[in-house]
Each structure stands twice: as structure tokens, then as C-alpha cells.
Amino acid sequence: MGARKMTKKDTVEQIRQKHQEWEQQVYNKAIKETPERKTKFKNLSEIDIQHLYTPEDISNLEYLDAIGFPGDYPFLRGVHPNLYRGRLWTMRQFAGFGSAEETNKRYQYLLDHGETGLSVAFDYPTLYGYDTDHPLARGEFGKCGVAISSLVDMELLFHEIPLEKITTSMTINGPAAIIWAMYIANAENQGIPKKQIGGTIQNDILKEYIAQKSYIFPPEPSMRLIVDTFEYGFTQVPKWNTISISGYHIREAGSTAIQELAFTLGDGLEYVKAAMQRGLDIDAFAPRLSFFFNAHNDFFEEIAKYRAARRIWAKEMKTLGAKKPRSLWMRFHTQTAGCSLTAQQPEINIVRVTLQALAAVLGGTQSLHTNSMDEALALPSEKAVRIALRTQQIIAEESGVTNTVDPLGGAYYVEWLTEKMEEETYKYFDRVAALGGVIPAIEKGFFQREIAESAYRYQKEIDEKQRVIVGVNRFQLDEEPSIPILKMDENGEERQIRRLQNLRKDRDNTKVQQHLQKLRKAAEGDDNLMPFILDCVHRYATLGETCQVLRDVFGEYKEQAIY
């Protein structure tokens, strides 16, 4: 006897009735015999998670409109039709410490062990636009990244690395245009045309005001510099992503996954609107926009976050007038959560990182960094960074998750959670709009308060053991870590300062001053500043000298205290 035909509505109703019967007759009986471990289950965004999800939880979704196919609008299932069946994600380990020479050795090591893209971490003086020999920089050399004070340092950093064959991501924001100019100038000095180099500058200043705080200039001139890089990039350096709109640091500051999603996409839309106000064609610059997300501990929440991000971005870009399919794509890099790493029992960080990396892959990332087990203690050792890279390689080559596109697509829980995260994101969009937009909301301390409250709640749950962190508040060991810790070259700072002194003595200082004055005049007007910055860099003006010209014209941003 053939199966009875049912409409979709009949099917959902049948499931609903059967679900109620199952709860009454099976589930309730089971939890009486084995009570549940918690009175309430929730993810890191404080969303209540039900005991079971079925087709009734996603019965409102129309497959073609809301989910669709990989490579098709709304890109929920990925921007590439064949995803990792065609090409694996770029395996990119974030690295940078001490001098350019030391960091170059680490890059060579990583490339020899199968890394497919480089990622540069800069030290704090560089992030704030100061040379190593500036009084405010003393003692901070190389502690969280590599020191780059001039084109000479950039040349050493990428010595014997083929810039036309690899892509480079650089986590730099306030002085991003200057650091990018140094990278371009280095390539040109090697005879490599600008049009052949590829990579990404983070260049996301709104996130700095919100979370990381390595800003230099006030919002208006900072936005000008960013739009300048957009305009220069799509005409002169077409393979370069001129911004990586970053939720990573928002999450590291203590936000929830939903806040990370909403605040990051809100920032991205603000950049798009600023470029359009300049008169740039959205379909000219939008294909080179990229994003950077965190991969935290709640496995399914992270996967849903990435999927929701693609759909929201595609819809919003379409609303803003984008016509080209590629302008609707959200392409993103992911880094596993540094804030989730523990100094206690550091070896178990390998397990955390593996789960986080797997979530990023199942969420469809284009590029991935896996943190090393020892990063809660020090900059990563060679052994630790090799294990982190091998983690990606095992996921890619041995796990089987790359065999099909979006393997979790259609899972009741995943699709429900994706929809829920999109819904909560739009609620944040409405709250920011009511405050007048992203920059007014920053000035009123909205984002900062939201993140602070989330961070406090999360830490309170850990302190009260409502949330278990293995090795920290449960399953502790009374022993010191026994892993090797990286030691930096203690003489690196003095070598760097001597190099700067020699540079200033040997270069043509008349030409340097001439080009710095041209930059000053351009900054006082409304020209695109990238060609002027590039001219300064080619003459070996230092980062600090170039930034100081812009500080003189633009001023420096001072954050208001938030209570």
C-alpha cells in the first residue's frame, strides 16, 4: 500500500501531536528517573536551549528563500558552490614577536610546515603609530607582535618570501594605511606590481573605539583614511581586501556571540555607507570587503553565527543597492578564541582549539588561525604553533567534514538557532539606529556598556561555578605547567633602535621632509591620502614621522569615561 500524501501543513501538525505524546509518555518519564543536570540550559548568548528540535521549530522557513543553495542568494550555505571540495580554507597562523628578523624566521618555519598564508601581529607601539625609539614605546618592544618602524623593517620581515605567491593578513588599524603602504612599497622594490599582491589589512577603526582601543585619530578623519584605502585599493591593488571588519576583538573584550555578530555587521554597513557618501560605486568596492570572526566554545552557536552573518549581510547589501552577486558575499577569516585559553593545564587548550576550529570549518570560513596551547602563558613556541597548524591539517585531511558542502544545513537545531541569532541581531540594529547610528552610539558608550555587562555576567557565572571551565573551576590539578616557553631576543630592541638611527642618518632627509609636507597639505584638503603616504614610505619616512603629520592635522581621539 502506497504512502498517504500529506501537505506540508499536515506533516508539521502530525509531528506536533506526536511530539506532545512523546513528551508526556516518554520524555517526562525519563527525566523523573534521571533528572536533568540543570534547571535551564542556555548558550553563551543567554538563549534558552530546548531539549529537542523538530521540523515544527523551522516550519516557518521557506527553503528557497531562507536557506537556498551554496553559492546562491542569500548565501546561508556558503558563498562558494563547492566550498572545500574545490579548495580548502587558507591556513594562516597569526605570528609576530620582537624584531622583523625573528618573525621572518617564524614565517619561514610555518611555510615549511604547510601554512598557506601569512598573518602579521604588530607590537603596541606600532599599533599606536610610534617608532620603537619613541619615549612612550620604551619597554613595549615586540611584546605582542613585531615592531615595524620603517620600510627597512618591512623588507626584513618578508625577506625571501615571494609576495606574489602568498597572501598576507595584517592586523593593524589606526596606522593601517601607512603599514599597507610599506607592504606595497616593499613589493614594488622587489619588482612585483601592485596588481599582483594579495592580502588583507584589518583597517577596522570602529571596532577599536568599541573594544580594542588602539585608535589614534578621531572617528571622522579615521573614516576618511579607510575610504581612501577602499578607493585606492579597487583601482590600484585589486587583489587586496582593504578592510577586515572584525568581530574577533569585540568577542575577546567579553561580548556574546550575538553582540559580536550585530556590532560587527553594524560596523560593516557603516563603512559601506561612508564609501557611498564619498561617491564610490558599491559594486566597485564591496567585493573586496572581508570579515574576521571569533570561534568560541559553544559549538553550534558559533556555526549558527557564521551562517546568519552571511544571510544578513547579503540582504543588507542588496537593500543598499548592490547588484553584483560577489558584492553580496560575506567572506571571512576566523581565529579561535584567545580569551578561552587557560594557563592551567595548557595542553587541554589543544582540545578547545580543535572544537573551535571545527565549528569555523562547518560554518564555512575562508581562512583560519588556530591558537597555540601556550598562548595564555607566552608567545607560542615552535612546537605549540606546529600542533596548532597540524590541528587544521587533520580537520582538512582526515575528518571527512570537507567532503560535502554545509553538512549541517537543514539540521533542526542549527536552522532554528541561525534564525534566532538573525532575529536578535536585528533587534540590536534597531537599538543602534535609535541612538543615531554607530558613531553616536560609540560616543554614548552603548557598545562599551553592553560588552562590559556581558563580560561581567560570564565571569560571575564562572566564579559561582554555574559555568564550568575545565581545569579552572573544576577538574583542577595542583601542578605547574611543564611545557617549554618561548624566550625572546633581549637585544632586539637595541638593534631596532640602532637600525632606526642609521636609517635617519643615511636616507635623503630633504626628500623625506618634502614628501611629509606634501602629505600634510593633502591631509588639510580632501585628496585621497594613499599616494602621498606611499611617496613618504618610499623615501623611508618612518611610521612615527608619518603618523605625526596626521596627528598634527587630525588630532588624537580621547575616549570619554563610561560609568
Side-chain angles (χ1 to χ4, degrees):
M1 187 176 179
R4 183 168 66 88
K5 281 183 119 181
M6 293 178 288
T7 66
K8 181 179 178 183
K9 187 175 179 180
D10 288 338
T11 304
V12 171
E13 184 56 37
Q14 272 201 338
I15 292 169
R16 185 175 291 114
Q17 291 175 4
K18 183 63 179 176
H19 188 183
Q20 289 174 351
E21 291 174 11
W22 173 82
E23 281 191 339
Q24 293 167 2
Q25 299 172 14
V26 180
Y27 185 72
N28 289 343
K29 181 181 177 182
I31 61 175
K32 283 181 181 177
E33 295 174 357
T34 309
E36 296 194 331
R37 295 180 293 109
K38 304 176 185 177
T39 56
K40 183 179 286 189
F41 289 77
K42 60 183 180 179
N43 64 17
L44 297 182
S45 292
E46 299 293 310
I47 294 173
D48 289 337
I49 307 302
Q50 303 305 312
H51 58 271
L52 184 72
Y53 290 87
T54 73
E56 62 191 297
D57 293 293
I58 57 171
S59 62
N60 63 316
L61 294 180
E62 293 292 338
Y63 181 84
L64 294 179
D65 290 337
I67 300 174
F69 294 90
D72 277 354
Y73 182 84
F75 304 105
L76 181 80
R77 305 197 69 182
V79 296
H80 299 297
N82 63 339
L83 196 59
Y84 307 133
R85 286 170 66 100
R87 177 183 173 185
L88 293 172
W89 61 91
T90 302
M91 298 183 190
R92 196 187 296 282
Q93 292 301 116
F94 194 40
F97 50 89
S99 67
E101 299 97 320
E102 287 178 279
T103 305
N104 176 267
K105 289 178 184 176
R106 174 60 61 87
Y107 290 162
Q108 301 284 5
Y109 177 86
L110 288 167
L111 290 170
D112 288 346
H113 283 82
E115 179 166 287
T116 54
L118 298 177
S119 184
V120 187
F122 297 94
D123 73 356
Y124 260 94
T126 305
L127 293 176
Y128 283 102
Y130 292 116
D131 295 335
T132 299
D133 60 356
H134 191 283
L136 291 176
R138 295 310 298 264
E140 294 299 322
F141 170 80
K143 287 188 176 176
C144 66
V146 63
I148 300 294
S149 298
S150 75
L151 178 55
V152 172
D153 297 328
M154 190 66 76
E155 291 165 348
L156 290 168
L157 182 64
F158 291 100
H159 181 61
E160 295 187 345
I161 292 175
L163 299 184
E164 76 280 16
K165 294 180 180 178
I166 57 99
T167 59
T168 302
S169 173
M170 296 189 286
T171 302
I172 193 78
N173 296 282
I178 302 167
I179 293 293
W180 186 38
M182 289 181 183
Y183 190 92
I184 294 169
N186 182 32
E188 289 179 326
N189 288 349
Q190 292 182 22
I192 303 168
K194 293 191 288 280
K195 294 185 185 297
Q196 289 186 17
I197 59 173
T200 304
I201 40 173
Q202 190 161 104
N203 205 19
D204 176 7
I205 204 63
L206 294 176
K207 165 266 302 176
E208 294 299 320
Y209 301 127
I210 290 171
Q212 197 177 24
K213 313 301 183 184
S214 63
Y215 41 70
I216 301 174
F217 315 114
E220 188 174 337
S222 293
M223 293 294 279
R224 172 190 173 179
L225 280 168
I226 289 168
V227 177
D228 283 353
T229 62
F230 286 7
E231 186 174 34
Y232 187 82
F234 75 73
T235 58
Q236 302 297 319
V237 200
K239 292 183 178 180
W240 200 276
N241 302 317
T242 47
I243 195 166
S244 175
I245 305 152
S246 175
Y248 184 84
H249 303 96
I250 292 172
R251 192 67 179 279
E252 291 289 291
S255 80
T256 66
I258 286 173
Q259 289 168 343
E260 178 193 357
L261 179 59
F263 300 169
T264 306
L265 269 60
D267 288 350
L269 295 171
E270 193 75 9
Y271 293 126
V272 171
K273 292 170 186 174
M276 293 174 71
Q277 287 170 1
R278 170 81 65 90
L280 303 187
D281 176 5
I282 190 171
D283 283 315
F285 68 84
R288 300 316 306 179
L289 303 179
S290 65
F291 287 79
F292 175 22
F293 286 113
N294 196 294
H296 212 287
N297 283 336
D298 193 302
F299 189 71
F300 290 108
E301 181 180 37
E302 296 303 299
I303 295 167
K305 178 182 73 182
Y306 307 130
R307 300 173 86 250
R310 280 193 294 267
R311 185 163 64 192
I312 296 168
W313 187 250
K315 290 196 298 190
E316 292 303 307
M317 292 297 282
K318 200 171 188 181
T319 300
L320 288 172
K323 299 289 192 296
K324 292 181 181 177
R326 193 178 175 94
S327 299
L328 310 180
W329 287 11
M330 167 173 276
R331 297 169 303 115
F332 65 95
H333 170 72
T334 310
Q335 180 174 340
T336 57
C339 62
S340 73
L341 301 177
T342 63
Q344 300 92 327
Q345 301 179 51
E347 295 90 345
I348 65 176
N349 288 325
I350 297 171
V351 182
R352 291 188 178 97
V353 167
T354 301
L355 289 170
Q356 293 164 4
L358 184 58
V361 170
L362 290 171
T365 193
Q366 275 69 58
S367 172
L368 179 60
H369 163 91
T370 33
N371 288 328
S372 300
M373 64 177 170
D374 53 1
E375 288 190 54
L377 299 165
L379 291 165
S381 66
E382 284 192 351
K383 180 177 181 180
V385 79
R386 186 175 69 246
I387 291 171
L389 179 58
R390 293 287 185 260
T391 300
Q392 294 196 48
Q393 292 164 339
I394 288 170
I395 292 172
E397 304 294 348
E398 298 184 27
S399 70
V401 299
T402 60
N403 290 343
T404 189
V405 182
D406 188 30
L408 291 179
Y412 307 129
Y413 176 42
V414 171
E415 297 296 357
W416 173 85
L417 188 54
T418 301
E419 186 80 0
K420 179 68 173 174
M421 296 193 78
E422 180 173 331
E423 176 189 323
E424 295 299 319
T425 295
Y426 275 102
K427 289 179 183 177
Y428 265 118
F429 283 180
D430 291 342
R431 291 175 68 185
V432 172
L435 292 169
V438 172
I439 292 176
I442 289 170
E443 292 169 343
K444 293 169 184 172
F446 170 75
F447 300 108
Q448 298 92 315
R449 273 192 295 268
E450 287 289 308
I451 293 170
E453 289 171 6
S454 169
Y456 173 76
R457 182 172 59 245
Y458 181 76
Q459 187 60 49
K460 189 169 182 285
E461 289 175 352
I462 293 172
D463 293 344
E464 296 176 352
K465 296 188 178 181
Q466 297 172 19
R467 187 173 298 281
V468 172
I469 305 296
V470 174
V472 175
N473 61 2
R474 204 169 168 197
F475 311 115
Q476 299 100 320
L477 289 178
D478 187 18
E479 62 182 36
E480 291 296 314
S482 58
I483 60 174
I485 299 297
L486 177 74
K487 294 193 185 311
M488 288 170 49
D489 182 356
E490 294 178 359
N491 299 316
E493 183 173 13
E494 294 307 317
R495 274 204 321 273
Q496 173 87 350
I497 290 172
R498 284 197 302 272
R499 185 157 61 229
L500 267 170
Q501 291 170 343
N502 291 334
L503 169 68
R504 294 193 183 105
K505 182 176 65 175
D506 296 339
R507 70 190 181 181
D508 187 335
N509 282 295
T510 301
K511 286 284 181 69
V512 170
Q513 290 306 315
Q514 286 174 351
H515 284 286
L516 287 173
Q517 288 309 311
K518 288 179 181 179
L519 173 62
R520 181 185 302 274
K521 187 175 179 181
E524 290 169 347
D526 56 8
D527 289 334
N528 188 308
L529 297 183
M530 275 304 302
F532 298 93
I533 293 171
L534 196 55
D535 284 343
C536 292
V537 164
H538 263 302
R539 297 295 183 274
Y540 290 89
T542 69
L543 172 67
E545 292 165 344
T546 311
C547 258
Q548 190 58 50
V549 169
L550 300 180
R551 278 185 167 96
D552 292 343
V553 177
F554 297 152
E556 293 186 90
Y557 180 71
K558 302 296 183 186
E559 184 177 41
Q560 293 183 353
I562 304 298
Y563 298 98

